[in-house]
Amino acid sequence: MTYSSILTLMDGSQAAVQRARIAATLAARFDARLTGAFPQPPLPLSAWDEPVYWGMPPVIPPAVPPEILAAHTRRTEAQGEEARLAFEAAAAAAGCRSDWLVLASDMGEGVVELMRRTDLTVLPPGRLPTVGHAGAAAADLALASGGPALILPDRVADPAPGRRVVVAWNGSREAARAVRDAWPFLSAAEAVQVVVIAPSDTDGPDSRLQRWFEEHGCTVEVVVVREADAAAADVLRRQIESFGADLIVMGLYGHSRLRETVLGGVSRNLLGDPPVAMLVSH
């Protein structure tokens, strides 16, 4: 198994440029076609959505004057062109096949449709500012897409991640799906550590789990950590640091989103401040 298509979303920021470089490196590694997409920011709903009107008293929002619409269009076109040039430079430097798309402004439906037709999408950990009026969270896009997403913190530098990988395993459907979606990374990694966070009365390492990885050519170490679920995120952070991992593979929101929102949870904790690149899937 490999990735034949990789998508990265560009928004004109320097962080997006770095994501494009890493996405291009991965596309060259997996011999995949890289698509760069610029989601156009939506038109302002009212004149208050433009900075010139900030600070006005709370009255009925004024209609959007034609000159503001024209300024928005010019700014969007310039932002898109800057993003295109940065993306094409990254693809050329990596020597990968590539194409470029401009997505009409919407509330994220176009982005999700494109992600559903792509093997792997490279995203930031927070919100994408050009998707929808309030931006769109990368986690929500990953959940809606039905496929894997590589979440790259802004501080991740070249080379592309995947040399030493930690897998968060709890036996859930989401964890199994994430592992299956990550086989191209796992099979090529120098070392893989599978971290199982289990209650104190759980049996020892799962030999069948270890054999599953080894059958895919992975050099794997299964580590069972006796901790409560509440400490799972802290355990994973410690294991990532001690193992020297540059990528973690994990299922996204194994519990309900309500429980994750109210009680925190591993997904919410790690997405809020990713220690390394994250390959997530739901």
Side-chain angles (χ1 to χ4, degrees):
M1 175 185 173
T2 189
Y3 302 123
S4 296
S5 56
I6 297 175
L7 168 68
T8 186
L9 301 182
M10 304 294 292
D11 56 26
S13 67
Q14 186 57 43
V17 174
Q18 178 63 4
R19 288 195 302 274
R21 293 191 187 111
I22 292 176
T25 301
L26 292 174
R29 178 191 299 177
F30 297 121
D31 192 24
R33 174 173 291 278
L34 177 65
T35 297
F38 175 70
Q40 291 182 325
L43 290 169
L45 295 175
S46 75
W48 281 359
D49 289 329
E50 293 297 307
V52 69
Y53 281 91
W54 291 354
M56 288 186 65
V59 294
I60 297 175
V64 183
E67 60 269 21
I68 287 186
L69 292 176
H72 173 87
T73 299
R74 289 194 299 272
R75 186 168 60 249
T76 296
E77 290 176 350
Q79 186 180 7
E81 180 64 9
E82 183 179 356
R84 181 186 67 82
L85 293 174
F87 169 80
E88 291 181 349
C96 66
R97 296 170 291 133
S98 67
D99 53 20
W100 175 254
L101 293 175
V102 175
L103 301 178
S105 61
D106 58 25
M107 299 308 291
E109 291 87 351
V111 172
V112 171
E113 287 183 6
L114 186 57
M115 291 175 67
R116 288 175 178 170
R117 292 157 177 79
T118 305
D119 291 337
L120 177 69
T121 303
V122 180
L123 296 171
R127 304 188 76 83
L128 283 83
T130 61
V131 181
H133 288 285
D140 290 336
L141 294 175
L143 284 170
S145 73
L150 181 65
I151 307 293
L152 290 180
D154 293 349
R155 62 180 175 273
V156 170
D158 297 330
R163 187 175 60 87
R164 296 180 66 83
V165 185
V166 163
V167 176
W169 179 262
N170 61 1
S172 68
R173 182 192 73 83
E174 290 78 12
R177 172 65 184 270
V179 168
R180 293 188 182 104
D181 285 342
W183 281 131
F185 280 101
L186 296 170
S187 299
E190 292 179 8
V192 178
Q193 185 180 83
V194 180
V195 180
V196 182
I197 301 171
S200 58
D201 58 351
T202 303
D203 295 335
D206 184 341
S207 60
R208 195 171 190 86
L209 177 65
Q210 182 159 353
R211 186 172 66 188
W212 185 34
F213 281 84
E214 292 174 348
E215 286 174 346
H216 283 268
C218 299
T219 302
V220 64
E221 174 190 13
V222 178
V223 177
V224 178
V225 182
R226 310 295 182 180
E227 290 279 0
D229 286 347
D234 292 336
V235 169
L236 288 171
R237 289 181 186 276
R238 290 197 301 269
Q239 291 299 127
I240 288 168
E241 183 176 3
S242 64
F243 189 62
D246 60 3
L247 176 67
I248 179 170
V249 173
M250 60 180 290
L252 189 61
Y253 292 113
H255 300 302
S256 70
R257 293 299 303 277
L258 176 62
R259 179 176 173 186
E260 291 278 353
T261 301
V262 175
L263 300 180
V266 177
S267 300
R268 185 164 174 256
N269 182 300
L270 294 179
L271 285 170
D273 182 23
V276 292
M278 300 174 61
L279 194 291
V280 298
S281 182
H282 183 78

